[in-house]
Amino acid sequence: MSFLLTQAVPGDPVTANLGQRASEDPDAVAAFRAANGLDKSLPEQYLTYVGNLLTGDFGTSQQTRNPVASDLAEKVPATMELALAAILVAVVLGVGFGIVAALYRDRWPDQVLRVLSLSGVSVPTFWLALIAYYWISFKLDLLPAGGRLSPGAPTPPQVTGFYTVDSLLAGDWATFGDAVSRLVLPALVLASFTVGVLLRFTRAAVLEVLGDEYVRAARAKGLPELTVVRRHVLRPALLSVVTVTGVAFAGLLSGTVLVEQIFGWRGLGAYAYTSALALDLPAIMGVSVVVAVIYILINLVVDLLYGVIDPRLRLS
Amino acid sequence: MTGPDPLLVPAAPLAGDVDVPGAAAAAGEERAARTLTRSPWRRPLAVIGLVVIAAWVLIAVFAPALAPYDPLAQVAPKLLEPSAEHLFGTDNLGRDVLSRVLYGSRLSVPLALLLVVLATVVGTVLGAVAGYFGRWVDGGIMRLTDLVFAFPGIILAMAVTAALGAGLRNAVLALVIVTWPSYARVVRGLVLSTRESDHIQASRLLGASALRTLAVDVRPTVLGPVLVLSALDVGNAVLLLSGLSFLGLGARPPAPEWGAMVSAGAAVFDSWWVGLFPGLAILTVVLAFNFLGDTLRDALDPRTARALRG
């Protein structure tokens, strides 16, 4: 389906890639079409594409002229490192604050957190990225930003593609510090929206459970409040929070398109953006397939977590 | 859902009078309604939201009178710092940033509202149909939502906009395509949850048509949450539209659109004022809508309403 969608694009990839040359040099156009298989019929192109996909061949990017698979192998770890760091921040802050907000319902911590949560979902990520980069990194010089490592720094030997993990594995503390410090700012910016979402959601979920009769019963039999919250409230409340976290992670991936743009983070988001502008079909398709795979993995993790949280689901 | 609210029953015996429990419950309902209508000052966020939105609407209407300069004209040397003549400075082409920010309200807010209305209508109708009829209708519509959800929203919107050609109208269309499925999912879920309930079954047994059942018996369950969802979504719509413009896929230059202006600000990194002010405009509008939406949700959502009462 995504294949048809990208084929439905009325723009002509030939003119998008060759630009001025396309109108002046018909030979170049023909050569470009032949080289990219664009002279064949649509079903033929589709079959070739799926066939190649099964063998791990995503085709050749018309923009970078590299195989899309190798482009992706380079970009995906960068984005995953950023997105995982951001979701970690978001879950810790969002769920933690959400529980606090629910327990202090309508008192001042709840009011403050409500404004925080609403600000998080209201701030334009691309603007926050720009402001954070300018003030925190450039003006105040508190944290470095821009790229994944200092300019000119050697990349750690590739194992996972996560510079933080790879540098640790190599025992290279200087590179590790560099990679972590450059990860902090983009991850915080990327997490801002998700913190807001998780905060308000956790608050609602905890409040809903707090109103249930078995919580009244648990209190009535004299359990300490902390035990009531930990054993009887959090477990059922977290079930819905886990679902939202899965969805929120998908949202984070969208956010990378904007955040990577500002921070010069050469990942999937930036790649998707340049590919979309150039109507680079193999690259767009490659990104879609990779993201679809990530979604499936997230759903799998969420389903597994359900089983961990709710023992009833393990039986059925 | 008949009978007294269990949370309120103890109130009557404690008060020591002979009220029947039902009366206590009715009093509780009334109290909940009053919490919302009594005094707007008890909900300061909603008041702030309303005031800010009203201010932006006025700015949008009276932009030509309020703006000190022509938003499209080169009126001063480029990249002037904020000063008395140019409160927000001038941009990379020597245009007055304040004037451009004021004029920007004429693009972002109306288009975001349009986007939400379109997505709500499409999503609600398809979701209700899917949930009520089930089987292959449900399967078909839900596969469609899966298809949209399979792409990260902004990547799909980017691809569709790039396909249709960059521009604000196409950006709105692309975002409708991206956002309707969330309405459809919510509505479908709500319809599914009430479809088997007693009052729907009773109505079906009385011979009501599917259309009547949906419009009369299912609607009350669906309407509140959907309106809340739309209200909450206006802010998000502003964000998405300005995001596409930031990427160069929405507003075409020289249109004074906030997202595009932030993008211009990123290009002239040192001149912080070029990007700061249009971003603040986006933030205030989105925050105002979210303040309102949040209050509305508390008021209409039966779950939080119950929590408020209890």
Side-chain angles (χ1 to χ4, degrees), chain A:
Chain A
M1 282 306 275
S2 355
F3 180 81
L4 280 181
L5 194 80
T6 50
Q7 290 297 331
V9 174
D12 187 352
V14 178
T15 36
N17 276 280
L18 294 182
Q20 202 47 41
R21 261 173 67 209
S23 47
E24 291 160 5
D25 186 355
D27 286 346
V29 174
F32 182 85
R33 283 186 177 278
N36 289 290
L38 290 173
D39 49 351
K40 303 214 178 68
S41 70
L42 245 176
E44 213 174 333
Q45 286 186 41
Y46 177 69
L47 285 178
T48 320
Y49 184 81
V50 173
N52 289 341
L53 199 59
L54 290 175
T55 61
D57 180 0
F58 286 86
T60 306
S61 162
Q62 293 152 4
Q63 265 253 301
T64 63
R65 300 190 188 285
N66 296 327
V68 173
S70 75
D71 275 351
L72 289 175
E74 188 190 320
K75 315 281 183 193
V76 169
T79 292
M80 285 309 284
E81 185 172 34
L82 179 58
L84 287 175
I87 198 78
L88 186 74
V89 171
V91 167
V92 170
L93 294 182
V95 174
F97 284 155
I99 294 170
V100 171
L103 295 181
Y104 287 88
R105 188 181 74 212
D106 292 339
R107 278 177 277 165
W108 70 265
D110 185 29
Q111 311 288 8
V112 171
L113 288 173
R114 173 179 291 235
V115 173
L116 181 81
S117 152
L118 289 170
S119 307
V121 297
S122 301
V123 69
T125 322
F126 53 92
W127 176 77
L128 186 65
L130 182 64
I131 298 303
Y133 196 169
Y134 182 79
W135 291 105
I136 298 180
S137 182
F138 184 70
K139 274 284 168 192
L140 302 173
D141 205 17
L142 294 176
L143 277 169
R148 299 174 67 190
L149 292 171
S150 301
T155 57
Q158 170 121 14
V159 185
T160 58
F162 290 10
Y163 285 176
T164 49
V165 178
D166 284 354
S167 56
L168 264 190
L169 288 177
D172 183 351
W173 289 100
T175 310
F176 176 71
D178 192 25
V180 170
S181 62
R182 278 167 187 272
L183 183 59
V184 174
L185 209 51
L188 280 176
V189 169
L190 187 56
S192 61
F193 187 87
T194 317
V195 170
V197 172
L198 287 182
L199 202 167
R200 61 168 35 173
F201 208 88
T202 307
R203 178 183 180 274
V206 171
L207 275 186
E208 197 182 345
V209 180
L210 278 177
D212 275 342
E213 285 178 31
Y214 67 85
V215 175
R216 281 168 62 86
R219 283 186 180 144
K221 71 180 179 186
L223 285 183
E225 185 66 19
L226 193 68
T227 317
V228 174
V229 170
R230 220 164 29 118
R231 303 235 344 234
H232 299 279
V233 176
L234 282 192
R235 196 177 268 260
L238 284 185
L239 206 58
S240 51
V241 172
V242 165
T243 318
V244 176
T245 309
V247 177
F249 189 81
L252 270 183
L253 289 181
S254 294
T256 60
V257 173
L258 297 164
V259 173
E260 287 182 2
Q261 205 65 22
I262 297 274
F263 283 104
W265 198 271
R266 286 194 292 205
L268 207 57
Y271 188 63
Y273 172 61
T274 50
S275 309
L277 280 197
L279 295 179
D280 185 347
L281 301 186
I284 298 176
M285 278 302 303
V287 172
S288 306
V289 170
V290 165
V291 171
V293 170
I294 295 175
Y295 279 15
I296 293 168
L297 289 178
I298 294 170
N299 278 324
L300 189 71
V301 172
V302 167
D303 280 349
L304 289 177
L305 281 176
Y306 278 168
V308 173
I309 296 175
D310 189 345
R312 286 173 304 181
L313 294 177
R314 261 175 283 175
L315 295 172
S316 55

Side-chain angles (χ1 to χ4, degrees), chain B residues 53-138:
Chain B
I53 291 170
W56 274 116
V57 168
L58 288 177
I59 289 173
V61 173
F62 296 109
L66 290 170
Y69 301 92
D70 180 344
L72 303 181
Q74 192 176 335
V75 292
K78 58 187 185 178
L79 298 178
L80 280 185
E81 282 199 33
S83 62
E85 291 94 81
H86 301 280
L87 288 176
F88 290 180
T90 62
D91 70 3
N92 49 329
L93 293 174
R95 296 172 300 195
D96 183 54
V97 174
L98 172 61
S99 305
R100 289 177 68 72
V101 167
L102 295 180
Y103 267 91
S105 60
R106 299 189 139 194
L107 291 175
S108 299
V109 181
L111 285 176
L113 289 173
L114 177 69
L115 163 59
V116 170
V117 169
L118 289 177
T120 306
V121 171
V122 173
T124 305
V125 169
L126 288 179
V129 166
Y132 190 79
F133 292 101
R135 298 172 200 254
W136 64 268
V137 181
D138 188 22

